[in-house]
Amino acid sequence: MESCNAQPSSDAVDTAPLLTHSAPLLRSRRILRRSPPPLRDAAARLVRVASTRRFMLREPSVRVRETAAEHLEERQSGWAYSKPIIVADILWNLAFVVIAVAVLGLSRDEKPVVPLRIWISGYGLMCLLHVACVVLEYKRRNESSVPVPDFQHNDDSGSNLNSRPGSETGDSEDYETEELINGDEISAAKCLESANRLFSFVWLVIGFCWIIGNGEVLSLHSPLLYWLCVTFLAFDAVFGVLCCVVACLISLAICCCLPCIIALLFALTDREGATDEEIDRLPKYKFRRTGRPEKVNGEIQESHEGVMIECNTDTPTERSLSHEDAECCICLCAYEDGSELRELACHHHFHCSCIEKWLHINATCPLCKFNILNISDSNGSEQV
């Protein structure tokens, strides 16, 4: 894209800043025992490989996919802390605690060669600690999501530059204030959960070594304790592998088939982005190819350069696109003759079908994160 190529080299994609916050793929403690790589980390690795090897993704395409991975992980975090998932997670862990207590009571006559009772008791305590962490985090999220009256907007002059909708300064200050208020609670909850996760991993390794090293003896003399430990270890292993596989599949889909991910989000999630009316305000263009086939290294290669012609206007504007710019960064397809394009206020352009679904679920440019609602809000305030 023209605007993409105009950016200085210092704006080259750095995957690290976009991937500083991690969230679990699912909320279940069974999966969090040994947390898989965050979705954004896994997607970034695949995008990095694709951009340097076979697929040769250009910088704008890489940035779009990282933005999509970040958005998907934010959505996933919201789903993971929804009330049905939280209730299921709590019931699941309490069920393990009840089973552990019952087996410990029924196996009083068993004398294992290794302290399996201590291991099972520790496992149950970790379940209870995880339940406490889930409840605290759920309460914190609910409290932070409650709207707080903004009294500073009701000053005597009746105007505040930071209170205008779409004001980036006001948004950044509100975000910093919220971070300062919730910083201590976030640190406490995350530290407690991280400590529980680390201890859980060590505890599972200890249990695995005991079961592998003394399996035959334990199965004969302490069958109840032995099979309960095997069951706990098997659940953790299966769910951990499943979580990693799902994360890798989603990351691969983001890298190679981003339109499919956008279509699923468009069909299955709430459309919290722009409305149809707001999207219709964006200028629409027709693409006309002007490039001719060229012979490169003895092979004839088709040139995709062309012209964007504005639609639905008496004095249409035209803009030339080079061979590199005449491509949609979402679907990675070159523009064809007659392709319908949408151009955002940040001058980034995409296929209509690709960008409209994205804007319905997220009203920001997938390339530079410019919020298109800022333009409509500012226009409305000027008219008033």
Side-chain angles (χ1 to χ4, degrees):
M1 297 180 187
E2 183 175 342
S3 59
C4 303
N5 293 338
Q7 293 178 351
S9 59
S10 61
D11 291 339
V13 174
D14 181 9
T15 56
L18 295 178
L19 310 174
T20 53
H21 302 288
S22 61
L25 178 65
L26 295 174
R27 272 301 311 148
S28 173
R29 184 198 55 83
R30 301 272 81 75
I31 295 175
L32 289 179
R33 279 300 184 184
R34 188 178 182 182
S35 297
L39 180 59
R40 274 174 281 183
D41 290 350
R45 293 191 187 98
L46 288 175
V47 169
R48 207 176 296 123
V49 170
S51 60
T52 55
R53 294 185 181 180
R54 184 174 180 180
F55 297 101
M56 297 302 292
L57 295 180
R58 298 190 304 115
E59 175 187 333
S61 302
V62 173
R63 186 171 298 180
V64 166
R65 273 143 185 78
E66 290 186 354
T67 302
E70 185 177 359
H71 172 80
L72 185 60
E73 191 147 354
E74 291 173 357
R75 290 264 179 172
Q76 161 198 302
S77 179
W79 297 332
Y81 283 97
S82 61
K83 191 171 183 179
I85 299 297
I86 293 296
V87 171
D89 189 14
I90 293 175
L91 293 178
W92 177 269
N93 285 274
L94 292 180
F96 271 74
V97 173
V98 172
I99 293 173
V101 172
V103 172
L104 288 176
L106 294 174
S107 60
R108 287 176 294 180
D109 297 333
E110 296 182 357
K111 297 181 180 180
V113 293
V114 290
L116 292 184
R117 287 189 176 87
I118 296 178
W119 189 89
I120 294 174
S121 300
Y123 193 92
L125 289 176
M126 287 185 293
C127 291
L128 293 176
L129 181 59
H130 174 76
V131 170
C133 292
V134 168
V135 172
L136 290 175
E137 181 67 12
Y138 180 72
K139 290 177 63 177
R140 186 194 67 80
R141 284 174 173 258
N142 284 345
E143 291 173 357
S144 62
S145 63
V146 175
V148 179
D150 195 353
F151 296 105
Q152 67 176 359
H153 294 173
N154 299 328
D155 55 1
D156 295 336
S157 62
S159 62
N160 189 335
L161 293 176
N162 291 340
S163 67
R164 289 201 325 252
S167 173
E168 296 180 1
T169 305
D171 292 343
S172 61
E173 290 182 357
D174 292 342
Y175 177 78
E176 292 175 0
T177 303
E178 182 180 354
E179 287 295 313
L180 290 174
I181 294 175
N182 298 329
D184 295 338
E185 295 181 10
I186 293 174
S187 300
K190 294 302 179 183
C191 288
L192 187 61
E193 182 69 19
S194 298
N196 185 37
R197 202 178 303 168
L198 178 61
F199 185 74
S200 298
F201 175 72
V202 176
W203 204 245
L204 289 173
V205 172
I206 294 174
F208 183 79
C209 293
W210 286 349
I211 293 298
I212 294 297
N214 306 277
E216 294 183 1
V217 177
L218 291 173
S219 61
L220 291 175
H221 301 285
S222 308
L224 289 177
L225 296 175
Y226 170 77
W227 286 111
L228 180 62
C229 293
V230 169
T231 302
F232 285 168
L233 291 171
F235 267 99
D236 280 292
V238 170
F239 278 101
V241 171
L242 180 62
C243 180
C244 292
V245 170
V246 172
C248 290
L249 290 177
I250 295 176
S251 302
L252 186 63
I254 291 174
C255 181
C256 303
C257 192
L258 181 57
C260 298
I261 297 294
I262 295 176
L264 285 175
L265 289 173
F266 178 78
L268 300 178
T269 64
D270 296 333
R271 299 173 189 176
E272 301 173 351
T275 62
D276 290 330
E277 293 76 11
E278 291 165 336
I279 294 176
D280 288 338
R281 295 192 194 119
L282 300 173
K284 196 172 186 179
Y285 292 82
K286 282 275 189 179
F287 181 77
R288 189 184 69 210
R289 185 175 294 180
T290 59
R292 296 181 179 180
E294 299 177 354
K295 193 172 184 179
V296 180
N297 298 329
E299 296 182 359
I300 298 178
Q301 295 184 357
E302 188 176 6
S303 177
H304 299 295
E305 64 182 16
V307 178
M308 287 173 53
I309 305 174
E310 190 173 3
C311 303
N312 305 323
T313 180
D314 296 333
T315 57
T317 59
E318 295 186 4
R319 186 146 64 90
S320 298
L321 298 180
S322 65
H323 176 81
E324 292 78 12
D325 295 337
E327 177 187 87
C328 178
C329 292
I330 295 178
C331 65
L332 301 179
C333 294
Y335 297 150
E336 300 292 340
D337 271 326
S339 294
E340 294 185 342
L341 314 179
R342 287 278 190 194
E343 185 180 56
L344 308 186
C346 53
H347 302 298
H348 294 140
H349 45 80
F350 311 86
H351 282 128
C352 283
S353 57
C354 295
I355 192 60
E356 287 176 0
K357 287 185 175 66
W358 171 266
L359 293 177
H360 273 299
I361 60 177
N362 190 337
T364 60
C365 173
L367 190 53
C368 67
K369 299 184 180 179
F370 177 84
N371 194 327
I372 68 167
L373 300 183
N374 290 348
I375 297 297
S376 60
D377 289 341
S378 60
N379 292 337
S381 61
E382 289 175 1
Q383 292 177 359
V384 173

